[in-house]
Amino acid sequence: MANHQDETRAAYDGVVELYASLFANRLETQPFARAMIGTFAELVRATGNPRAADVGCGPGHLTAMLHELGLDAFGIDLSPGMVDHAQQAHPALRFQEARMESLPIEDGALGGVLAHYSLIHTPPGELPELLAEQVRVLAPGGLLLVSFFGTDGPEPVRFDHKVAPAYSWPADRLAELLTGAGLVPFARLLHDPASERGFLDAHLLARRS
């Protein structure tokens, strides 16, 4: 796992300012993703535990959005460059460099985990370990929102992402992995973003059992 993560970290460190500029609108042009994040925040608040981690937070734009939606949100990212940018852009919020398979969070502490396109660079064989770690930090009844590139085929598809190699997933297959990790998937949204890659934008909401 270390090799691909080191490569991904270096790739994102090299595009911090460009990447941050691309997402400065904070989903203003992505109504479906914005709606799912709003729903996620509402459901997390309803658990009574508003503490939430934005895992793979990048420049911190969605961490800030979760905060504005009433969550005690903090961001975690593999890239120190992204963490530095996020902390400067959002000095009132907390950001930390960490690997997704070893989150610096105590067991059962969170009401929610957001993984917004942050699992896409993980090879399929390593994804169960990352999901197990996210389940570990969720309180019973806590929620996970995973957003990813979807495909209609039966298997994950590796493709050349603009920053680092990535994978698209059949929604049913990823839902099965969530179930295997101890989560109960209960909502999904698939839509065609008119992407030149030909993938769907996919979002799965699941609750820790």
Side-chain angles (χ1 to χ4, degrees):
M1 185 175 290
N3 284 344
H4 86 80
Q5 287 204 355
D6 291 343
E7 293 169 1
T8 300
R9 178 178 58 204
Y12 275 97
D13 275 344
V15 296
V16 172
E17 297 304 323
L18 174 61
Y19 191 87
S21 70
L22 292 174
F23 294 99
N25 64 18
R26 290 173 51 184
L27 303 183
E28 290 174 9
T29 61
Q30 301 179 50
F32 293 104
R34 191 169 67 247
M36 287 298 282
I37 289 174
T39 300
F40 166 77
E42 180 178 347
L43 293 174
V44 172
R45 291 197 309 269
T47 70
N49 179 359
R51 191 178 177 202
D54 179 8
V55 177
C57 65
H61 56 301
L62 296 185
T63 316
M65 181 180 292
L66 293 177
H67 174 74
E68 292 169 4
L69 289 169
L71 300 186
D72 177 15
F74 59 97
I76 292 172
D77 202 275
L78 178 67
S79 161
M82 288 291 182
V83 169
D84 287 345
H85 179 96
Q87 195 65 76
Q88 292 179 34
H90 309 286
L93 301 180
R94 294 165 289 137
F95 298 93
Q96 184 174 352
E97 179 187 348
R99 293 179 179 268
M100 286 190 287
E101 78 276 13
S102 183
L103 296 173
I105 304 167
E106 58 272 28
D107 293 356
L110 303 183
V113 171
L114 174 67
H116 188 79
Y117 292 91
S118 57
L119 303 179
I120 63 171
H121 302 294
T122 303
E126 298 175 7
L127 194 54
E129 180 180 352
L130 265 61
L131 293 175
E133 179 68 353
Q134 293 177 13
V135 171
R136 178 188 69 79
V137 301
L138 280 173
L143 294 121
L144 171 66
L145 173 59
V146 180
S147 299
F148 57 99
F149 294 108
T151 179
D152 289 328
E155 300 293 335
V157 176
R158 188 181 188 275
F159 67 95
D160 291 326
H161 185 272
K162 291 179 180 178
V163 181
Y167 299 83
S168 65
W169 277 84
D172 286 342
R173 286 287 304 279
L174 192 51
E176 289 172 1
L177 290 184
L178 296 178
T179 300
L183 296 162
V184 179
F186 64 92
R188 68 176 65 181
L189 173 62
L190 306 174
H191 68 98
D192 183 355
S195 167
E196 68 275 10
R197 298 190 185 103
F199 298 135
L200 300 172
D201 278 347
H203 312 270
L204 286 176
L205 258 174
R207 181 179 286 109
R208 182 176 176 181
S209 56

